[in-house]
Amino acid sequence: MTPPTPAILQVALDAPIDRLFDYLAADATAADIGRRVRVPFGPRRQVGVVVGLAEQAGVAAAQLREVIAIDRTLPALPADILRLARFAADYYQHPLGPTLLALLPPALKRQRFRTPGPAAYALTEAGRARAATLPARATAQRRLAERLAGSAVAATELAGLRPVLTEWLRQGWAAAADLAGPDQPSEAPPPLTAEQAAALAALRGEAHGFAAWLLFGVTGSGKTEVYLRLIGDVLARGGQVLVLLPEIHLTPQMVERFGRRFPGRRLVALHSGLGDGERLAAWLDCIDGRADIVLGTRLAVFTPLPRLALIVVDEEHDASYKQMEGLRYHARDVAVWRARAAGVPVLLGSATPALESWANARRGRYRLLALPKRAHAEAELPQVRLVDSRTDKPKQGITAALRTALAENLACGEQSLVFINRRGYAPVLYCRACGHVSSCPRCAAHQVVHRHRDGYQLRCHHCGLAARPPQACPACGSLDLAPAGQGTQKVEDHLAELFPAARILRVDRDSAARRGAFATMREAIARREVDILVGTQIVAKGHDFPMLTLVGVIGADQALMSTDFRASERLFAQLMQVGGRAGRAAHAGRVLIQTDYPHHPLYAALVTHDYPAFAGRTLDERRQADFPPWSYQALLRADARSMAEAMAFLDAARDLGAGLADGVQIYDPVPALMPRISERERAQLLVQAAGRARLQRFLTPWVAALRERRTATGLRWSIDIDPLDW
Ligand code: ADP
Ligand code: ZN
Ligand code: ZN
């Protein structure tokens, strides 16, 4: 008798080569697809994922190496996630191996196939035996659910229960619904406003099957309440819900709110701030179907969810959904693709939708739902006023109008926010004799002045290099050096002089750097221990400060001058959002924007809270210029020790593409907006087409050809599909 021929496994590895690798495995079957394997790779060992079984014929099996181990203790990646990864890899022109490995929790990329933390999930022999004897009746299930909900479940016990649980989930949701245990009292939802009710009715009318919805509603209009109602429906039917948030560690309020509304449900938070063990445990909760609601940042879009029935993307316009390196995906777009593949609805919410999404709604690809008013009957939208800083000249950044408003607010004990999107003390150190400004020796960027201990420090915000400020001007030797312009620290100092009795708190990346610092600050604000907040955009994101009734905006004009065509879209969204912080509950809010351009249409639209007007006009401008969303772009970036090398690579890439470019426009390479970072010269080449499919048809062979080429040593390149930053 001949021994059975071993199977040939196709394995995806974290290698920068766009191909799969074949390995022999004596006992492997199709059930191993999606499992982790440890394999020899060159002189080392690597962890990979099995993505298929190869045909025997044509493969020189004798030359193949054997897998070292297959991990059968953990669930395999399900087929839908393998398909999602393949889609993302293809669309974003990234090799499948690195894509797949990137979506595993970090703990699973390690060589040792043993679950860290509560080693609860490994199947033991004792566990199997035990599971076989457990009665599968509802009472037993409930008891089990109670134990699972408690944290005191012994690891060995849980190991024994796991197969039973999995079996119930397989049998369907009648059993799984029992797992939630008896319903605990939950927070009573408020009666819906007419607009919310209409939106929900529309959503409920098509709750089954794929549909993409855009919920456009001003801050405080009750979008989250609509999500919660819809999620309630889905949970009652036994579905799992995936909720994406831009920055979960900055929005614990959201997690608390979901927890209060659905106290009997298993809520899982997934973000990169978790430790490896926590993250793995959360991920296993998802893949095993135990988690009911997953609240996560962009990476959570790839989480395996066997009962997925709804995806929500909150603040869908937020740029943090776009990953800037490796697999450069946009989580909102991946979410829509995943929802379509899974046949479930996806709900995108924003007060200022991305223009891509707005255009999709206008084209009928997304269905538009609008919540034009604030949900609280008493809560009005804030009053937005433009302060002409050409006539009311700012002193240390602050106009008389803003100073007066701050004084009034202080006098009546209400909170104010001064918003300035520049951290540090001042953007540059300036020589009053010759005009020289401090710049980073390693980057094409200014050095920012920071307050540091008792003195000052010059810091580069691109490479992080810090230096002591010079005594004399390096260009002319003059001693007349001064920080120019405003940063959060300088504004903080100035406000302290203006209002010595006020309690002032600065909230920016520097002050919130320590873990937990942000939560502490948020609590201080909520307890009204702060009168004036000075902050960057991190204050603007999704925080509810009901006592905040005044927002002053300084330095916004700068974005109007930007060469990035998306700068005005970002500015509008940011100002709407920061304005939305003012007066959320029963207190009316005021927003004062200091500007040299009080007649700019962007500001005019802010005054009237008219996103559609802003969007309509900006979309028209983009159409004239053939910019997205009227076209589709990809950006090939290169960096090298010299600009000539970077440009030479891009020139060659353009020539290589010329033959393939059917209906695709390849622009000439140009230096990047930030042409030097950390002593690397940077350049880029833009490719643009009228349609996605056309662009993809060009990109696939072009990027493959680029990968084949040998590049000069020290040259690095990457491709970014639908790039957001330049
Ligand atoms: P958004 O997500 O659009 O910012 P939220 O859902 O957070 O809005 O609602 C804003 C505020 O209004 C919250 O304090 C919320 O509790 C409240 N709210 C939402 N819907 C209603 C409603 N129908 N009646 C009363 N208050 C509501
Ligand atoms: Zn000088
Ligand atoms: Zn630098």
Side-chain angles (χ1 to χ4, degrees), residues 345-369:
V346 57
L347 177 57
L348 315 175
S350 177
T352 51
L355 289 179
E356 281 79 2
S357 301
W358 192 248
N360 275 333
R362 293 209 323 199
R363 291 167 181 151
R365 287 185 203 165
Y366 294 171
R367 286 175 228 191
L368 186 65
L369 302 167

Side-chain angles (χ1 to χ4, degrees), residues 580-603:
R581 300 301 115 214
R584 296 203 49 161
H587 300 248
R590 282 193 290 169
V591 179
L592 259 57
I593 302 174
Q594 297 186 171
T595 174
D596 282 355
Y597 307 90
H599 302 294
H600 196 287
L602 185 148
Y603 292 133

Side-chain angles (χ1 to χ4, degrees), residues 190-193 196 218-225 257 375-376 584:
L192 296 178
T193 64
Q196 284 173 321
V218 294
T219 327
S221 62
K223 295 184 293 297
T224 310
E225 186 56 43
R257 192 164 164 194
H376 277 292
R584 296 203 49 161

